[in-house]
Amino acid sequence: MTLKSRRSASVLAALVLLLITVACGDNGPYLTGVVHIGAKYEQPGFGMHDGESHTDAGFDTDLANYLGAKIGFTPKFEDVPSGKRVSALTDKTHWDVKLDIETFSITEDHKKHIDFVGPYLLTYQGFLVLKEDQSIKTKADFSSDMTICTVEGSTSDMPLPGGAHLDTRSDYKACIEELKDGNAAAVFTDLSILYGYAQVDKQLKVVPNLTYGRRQRYGIGLAKGHIEDCKKLLRALRDYMKEDWAKDFKTELPAIVEAYPDDWETQFRPDPSDLNQWSSCQA
């Protein structure tokens, strides 16, 4: 190979490496300045947006603010429906979301499309009913003529016991309206979410001692390829789990602490040492 050929080959190799780096996404600052974060605007305990004061509150909000202060960015929350969480991170034509922090379960299907850091919360799934309702106590109480409501695009979109009919809506607020109108016997999703609604609406209760489905692990979603930012998030989350997790959980989700007075941390708090196992990066 001539000197000119070797130089051309070197230039070509450098160009290919540059293109690969750009394609992977780690080609510049990502978590800096104002960072748009997918969130829930009407999910008690996790994400509530006040349109008049333009303020946000909830456990997911607390976590996002901690990460921003730790890493050096300012969170700006965007209302993203559950069924749009993946596309909000991957479709930059219509979205400017860089992170998603809204009770987003880490699953193998989700990880095909995006990366995760977590988990930051564990929860089983259960059922929310009207407070005076005594018709649902165990899985044996479900039947094929019963309608249960959940949210489209959530991990609760699954076959139910007794062949109960599953009806999906765009958000949990719509499901609760169906419950109150008598069009649904219960709302089915994560216990952590259900307790959030029960603590602000005294007409509702979580069915005690009844869980269904697999344990969920909430993670921070981000677009694939941002490995260094993934590691920053992982280190910051590990600190959060040790420093502020318990305080924020008790403040934002008191109904869970009341329902599990002796073991709420055991039931809902992940072990910080397990984060490498479930995250898309290690740090």
Side-chain angles (χ1 to χ4, degrees):
M1 181 182 290
T2 65
L3 178 60
K4 183 177 180 180
S5 298
R6 286 196 296 271
R7 286 176 177 171
S8 297
S10 298
V11 171
L12 180 60
L15 180 59
V16 170
L17 180 60
L18 176 61
L19 290 173
I20 291 174
T21 301
V22 172
C24 289
D26 246 352
N27 60 325
Y30 189 70
L31 297 181
T32 185
V34 175
V35 173
H36 292 247
I37 298 176
K40 286 290 193 297
Y41 272 14
E42 295 186 29
Q43 192 159 293
F46 285 95
M48 294 295 290
H49 179 74
D50 187 322
E52 293 185 3
S53 62
H54 300 288
T55 57
D56 298 272
F59 187 75
D60 286 345
T61 305
D62 294 339
L63 170 58
N65 287 330
Y66 179 95
L67 296 174
K70 196 81 170 180
I71 295 173
F73 64 83
T74 302
K76 181 176 176 58
F77 300 99
E78 303 285 346
D79 190 24
V80 177
S82 295
K84 299 291 185 182
R85 290 178 293 196
V86 170
S87 59
L89 292 168
T90 57
D91 180 4
K92 296 311 174 186
T93 303
H94 299 95
W95 298 88
D96 191 28
V97 172
K98 292 184 176 180
L99 298 177
D100 190 282
I101 307 177
E102 50 172 325
T103 61
F104 198 1
S105 292
I106 301 172
T107 68
E108 290 305 314
D109 183 59
H110 289 153
K111 290 175 79 171
K112 294 175 184 177
H113 309 285
I114 63 171
D115 283 343
F116 276 104
V117 172
Y120 64 85
L121 189 142
L122 307 174
T123 180
Y124 287 104
Q125 296 175 293
F127 299 89
L128 184 75
V129 297
L130 295 176
K131 196 160 191 177
E132 67 274 11
D133 183 25
Q134 300 294 324
S135 63
I136 298 176
K137 295 181 179 180
T138 70
K139 295 174 186 176
D141 295 323
F142 291 88
S143 61
S144 58
D145 60 353
M146 187 178 287
T147 296
I148 309 296
C149 191
T150 194
V151 168
E152 181 182 5
S154 74
T155 51
S156 303
D157 191 350
M158 67 172 76
L160 293 173
H165 172 67
L166 188 68
D167 191 17
T168 60
R169 291 290 183 267
S170 60
D171 56 45
Y172 293 111
K173 182 180 179 181
C175 272
I176 290 173
E177 290 176 358
E178 292 291 293
L179 176 64
K180 290 183 175 181
D181 289 342
N183 298 321
V187 179
F188 171 53
T189 192
D190 303 341
L191 286 173
S192 56
I193 295 174
L194 298 180
Y195 276 110
Y197 282 103
Q199 73 188 20
V200 298
D201 190 336
K202 301 310 177 184
Q203 297 181 64
L204 308 173
K205 70 174 182 181
V206 179
V207 179
N209 306 313
L210 177 60
T211 63
Y212 185 72
R214 292 177 295 180
R215 200 175 201 184
Q216 304 298 305
R217 294 172 171 84
Y218 292 167
I220 302 160
L222 69 160
K224 281 187 173 294
H226 299 279
I227 303 304
E228 291 307 312
D229 292 290
C230 180
K231 292 179 180 179
K232 290 178 185 178
L233 286 167
L234 183 52
R235 287 190 290 266
L237 177 59
R238 191 173 285 116
D239 289 340
Y240 176 76
M241 300 295 298
K242 298 173 183 177
E243 295 174 3
D244 286 5
W245 188 94
K247 170 182 66 66
D248 290 345
F249 191 95
K250 287 189 291 185
T251 299
E252 306 293 357
L253 295 161
I256 295 180
V257 178
E258 182 179 348
Y260 296 83
D262 299 321
D263 61 347
W264 57 273
E265 280 198 85
T266 303
Q267 292 289 334
F268 294 89
R269 181 181 180 272
D271 186 336
S273 65
D274 288 343
L275 298 187
N276 277 345
Q277 176 184 348
W278 297 97
S279 299
S280 299
C281 60
Q282 295 189 354

